[in-house]
Amino acid sequence: MRSIPVIELCHGGDCCTGGGNGRKVDRHQDGLAVRDPKGCVNCPKQQNDDQRNTQQTQKYRQIVARGAENLFKRHFRNGHACQQHSHGADHIADTAQCAGDRGRQRDVQQVQQVMAMMFRIVLYAPILGIGGVIKVLNTDSSMTWILGVAVGLILIVIFVLFQVAMPKFTILQTLIDRLNLVSREILTGIPVIRAFSREKHEEDRFEKANLDLTKTNLFVNRCMTFMMPIMMLIMNGVSVLIIYSGAHAVDNGTMQVGNVMAFIQYAMQIIMSFLMITAMSIMLPRANVAALRIDEVLKTEVSIQDPETPVHPSESVKGEIEFDHVSFAYPEAGENVLTDISFKAKKGQTIAVIGSTGSGKSTLINLIPIYYDVTKGSVKVDGVDVRDMTQKELRDKLGYVPQKGVLFSGTIDSNIRYGKPEITDAQVKEAAEVAQATEFIDTKPEKYKSPVSQGGTNVSGGQKQRLSIARAIAKDPEIFIFDDSFSALDFKTDSQLRKALKEYTKDATTVIVAQRISTILGADQIIVLDDGHMAGIGTHKELMANCEVYQQIARSQLSEEELA
């Protein structure tokens, strides 16, 4: 396996010739860090090694640089944004390629450019052409056959080029998307690529995508480069024919020299109008492909819609959740993910959902905010089927913390206020205290005004989860939903947070997806899922007595003393 140098400052050594100003070199080999205590970049032995390592990584850096350049050129532009917020999760997954990949922004720009050119050229060119034809007919109609031949040849050239190049334009857009995808994967996956020493594989992937795009682009551009020379040949050929025919007419006394010159000018005006339209034809194929892709997104139907006559829950019923024989299957899936799930949670209760990986835990709680619609049965919140309520009214009742914490660019304060912007500063601080987020917020110079970068990349996983929990707490909802939202927390912070959360949410209904049994022992109801079926429901003691699946999970995580 190739060695990768890790550079540190050198403070001198037996073989250091740099007076302590060199750099020590560690080597990572076969997955282990091997210290070279005397190694120094300024040492003669190490200089050769470092040069070799530099050469080995240079090619990979070039490929990443090319990918970065392409990515920034094509993706980070202002433009069209796909409207995903009103679609169901299945359509969000389908159109994530469009919104996440910013390809539609480029498509919109293509259409914008063509529309601008059409107003400036396509409307102007016919005026020139029609005016030229009228003047030619008024000057001398004996040579109009020359213009007819010229226009016919131009139309034939355009038709042939369209037949050859048009299919390639469709392929071109697909290849551009492919290159962008590979570039983005390389840039975001650099640590993994290096960890598995797959630089050569990723370089080959990029080179293949780049080569395919290059070949197609060259073919299209070569086709289009034939257009202007052919047009100029036709234009000059027309001039020669007019002069030749006009010379005979002048010699015979049937035409004046001034009429010949005027005919040439009008003929050039007519041909120029066709050339302007021809120039537009180069842009039309790509714009057509772009317009079809945009139309595909705009015509995507919303899978989950608000009812025409929504039902409002009674004010006397708050915080109730009921699953009534619910079954669910993902679109076009062959089998159910959840089958015949039934339970009821009342205000103030804590419901825990546990099960093996892939048992349907996250899918179950995603049915509550109607991210997906059930296949059978019904999900009720406050006694009303969620399909009979407006999505806004339903989600206003929920405080949802996803499995993967999501933060938005702004400040810590703006992220905590996200669900309820009108809350006071005191409420923001209270939410942060309950979520155990003040521990790291208070260490920052700007505290709650500290900036949060896009996607929360400047905070750790645990901090991101705590801020996501604080955001849900600040909303003060009737129902809290935690989708394995404590996984990035250490046991101490987890314990403190759950203790504070239990006190704060005692009047709200709480639904928790958990992996560790020790964290849900005090839940009012524990739902055990096994391959989409409800294997058991009850308290910890009840399930230890009558649910084999729960017993297996418990024994794998807890000792006999803890179980006793």
Side-chain angles (χ1 to χ4, degrees):
M1 182 178 295
R2 187 169 59 195
S3 297
I4 301 174
V6 177
I7 308 301
E8 294 179 359
L9 289 176
C10 175
H11 302 289
D14 295 338
C15 70
C16 179
T17 61
N21 296 320
R23 292 175 292 171
K24 286 184 180 179
V25 180
D26 284 355
R27 302 211 171 269
H28 288 261
Q29 192 166 10
D30 298 329
L32 298 174
V34 182
R35 167 67 70 178
D36 186 356
K38 296 182 180 181
C40 175
V41 172
N42 287 331
C43 301
K45 292 182 180 179
Q46 293 298 341
Q47 286 177 351
N48 292 333
D49 290 341
D50 290 335
Q51 288 174 2
R52 249 194 326 269
N53 282 319
T54 301
Q55 291 170 357
Q56 288 173 342
T57 56
Q58 187 64 34
K59 202 171 184 181
Y60 177 59
R61 288 177 180 174
Q62 289 174 354
I63 202 70
V64 171
R66 289 201 299 272
E69 181 182 4
N70 185 73
L71 186 66
F72 279 92
K73 278 183 178 179
R74 300 191 178 277
H75 287 286
F76 301 113
R77 299 171 181 170
N78 294 327
H80 177 70
C82 297
Q83 300 177 359
Q84 294 184 8
H85 59 273
S86 60
H87 289 68
D90 52 326
H91 276 109
I92 290 175
D94 291 338
T95 58
Q97 182 179 4
C98 119
D101 124 278
R102 307 289 182 91
R104 297 297 186 266
Q105 294 181 2
R106 185 177 60 255
D107 293 337
V108 171
Q109 288 176 343
Q110 288 279 355
V111 175
Q112 285 176 336
Q113 289 174 5
V114 168
M115 292 304 296
M117 294 289 286
M118 284 183 69
F119 284 116
R120 294 173 60 185
I121 293 178
V122 176
L123 296 180
Y124 175 63
I127 296 173
L128 285 179
I130 294 170
V133 170
I134 293 172
K135 297 299 290 183
V136 162
L137 293 175
N138 290 335
T139 301
D140 194 320
S141 59
S142 63
M143 292 191 294
T144 53
W145 65 271
I146 298 175
L147 296 178
V149 170
V151 170
L153 288 174
I154 289 172
L155 293 176
I156 291 171
V157 171
I158 293 173
F159 177 78
V160 170
L161 285 174
F162 264 57
Q163 291 298 311
V164 174
M166 187 66 175
K168 293 292 184 181
F169 276 114
T170 306
I171 299 171
L172 193 65
Q173 294 299 123
T174 305
L175 292 176
I176 290 172
D177 289 343
R178 175 64 183 167
L179 183 65
N180 290 334
L181 172 66
V182 173
S183 300
R184 186 167 59 249
E185 285 184 346
I186 290 174
L187 290 171
T188 56
I190 285 175
V192 178
I193 294 169
R194 287 175 174 170
F196 287 90
S197 298
R198 298 289 286 173
E199 292 92 340
K200 186 66 172 67
H201 170 74
E202 293 302 324
E203 180 183 337
D204 291 342
R205 269 213 317 154
F206 181 89
E207 288 295 348
K208 183 181 183 306
N210 192 36
L211 189 62
D212 291 343
L213 176 60
T214 302
K215 286 180 178 178
T216 307
N217 252 325
L218 285 173
F219 178 84
V220 170
N221 288 328
R222 282 166 182 164
C223 288
M224 291 306 171
T225 53
F226 280 107
M227 183 177 292
M228 292 312 294
I230 292 173
M231 293 301 172
M232 294 305 296
L233 179 64
I234 293 172
M235 183 185 293
N236 292 323
V238 168
S239 297
V240 171
L241 276 175
I242 292 173
I243 292 171
Y244 180 80
S245 299
H248 284 286
V250 170
D251 186 53
N252 294 331
T254 57
M255 183 180 287
Q256 299 294 322
V257 175
N259 286 345
V260 175
M261 298 305 298
F263 197 93
I264 292 173
Q265 292 298 320
Y266 296 144
M268 292 303 103
Q269 184 174 314
I270 294 169
I271 293 173
M272 280 301 298
S273 66
F274 274 92
L275 285 177
M276 291 167 71
I277 295 174
T278 302
M280 273 296 302
S281 68
I282 297 175
M283 301 178 65
L284 283 174
R286 293 189 70 172
N288 178 59
V289 173
L292 291 175
R293 284 152 56 99
I294 294 169
D295 187 59
E296 181 184 348
V297 174
L298 295 178
K299 284 186 176 179
T300 302
E301 294 185 4
V302 179
S303 60
I304 299 172
Q305 297 180 340
D306 289 336
E308 294 182 3
T309 55
V311 178
H312 302 286
S314 171
E315 289 294 326
S316 61
V317 182
K318 287 185 179 294
E320 286 192 2
I321 304 172
E322 183 179 358
F323 276 60
D324 185 12
H325 298 285
V326 169
S327 295
F328 172 75
Y330 286 103
E332 300 179 5
E335 57 185 14
N336 286 344
V337 178
L338 298 172
T339 304
D340 197 27
I341 306 295
S342 295
F343 68 89
K344 187 172 183 178
K346 295 183 179 179
K347 180 180 179 180
Q349 286 189 331
T350 298
I351 308 297
V353 183
I354 196 167
S356 59
T357 302
S359 58
K361 303 184 296 295
S362 294
T363 302
L364 184 143
I365 64 168
N366 282 334
L367 297 177
I368 300 173
I370 203 168
Y371 293 151
Y372 300 101
D373 196 1
V374 299
T375 308
K376 279 186 181 180
S378 64
V379 178
K380 297 179 181 178
V381 171
D382 293 348
V384 177
D385 193 319
V386 293
R387 292 169 293 190
D388 296 332
M389 301 168 64
T390 63
Q391 294 175 60
K392 184 179 187 310
E393 183 178 19
L394 169 64
R395 291 167 185 170
D396 281 345
K397 297 175 178 291
L398 308 176
Y400 178 70
V401 184
Q403 194 169 12
K404 183 180 179 182
V406 177
L407 298 181
F408 301 92
S409 57
T411 63
I412 290 175
D413 181 81
S414 68
N415 272 276
I416 295 176
R417 292 176 184 270
Y418 189 79
K420 203 173 184 180
E422 67 274 11
I423 61 175
T424 64
D425 291 343
Q427 289 173 306
V428 170
K429 291 180 180 179
E430 183 184 18
E433 287 172 1
V434 174
Q436 307 301 305
T438 53
E439 174 189 341
F440 69 88
I441 294 175
D442 290 341
T443 62
K444 294 180 178 292
E446 299 178 61
K447 300 191 183 302
Y448 290 87
K449 297 300 179 183
S450 299
V452 175
S453 62
Q454 184 179 7
T457 53
N458 62 336
V459 295
S460 68
Q463 292 171 351
K464 193 182 296 186
Q465 280 195 342
R466 280 179 278 177
L467 289 176
S468 298
I469 293 168
R471 179 173 57 203
I473 292 170
K475 188 179 178 183
D476 193 23
E478 296 177 13
I479 300 168
F480 285 94
I481 300 175
F482 299 101
D483 184 6
D484 196 16
S485 310
F486 310 95
S487 57
L489 305 180
D490 59 82
F491 281 100
K492 180 184 175 182
T493 306
D494 190 335
S495 176
Q496 292 173 342
L497 195 156
R498 289 179 187 273
K499 183 178 179 181
L501 197 61
K502 186 176 182 180
E503 180 64 26
Y504 187 85
T505 62
K506 60 185 178 182
D507 294 327
T509 306
T510 305
V511 182
I512 302 173
V513 169
Q515 299 287 351
R516 300 194 296 259
I517 281 185
S518 59
T519 61
I520 59 170
L521 295 176
D524 297 296
Q525 288 187 79
I526 301 174
I527 298 168
V528 185
L529 293 181
D530 183 31
D531 196 22
H533 295 78
M534 197 158 70
I537 182 171
T539 63
H540 170 69
K541 289 184 178 180
E542 291 170 348
L543 292 171
M544 285 301 295
N546 56 33
C547 181
E548 184 180 351
V549 176
Y550 186 80
Q551 291 169 9
Q552 291 174 354
I553 298 173
R555 291 193 179 102
S556 68
Q557 297 184 14
L558 303 175
S559 64
E560 292 296 332
E561 292 79 6
E562 290 174 315
L563 290 173

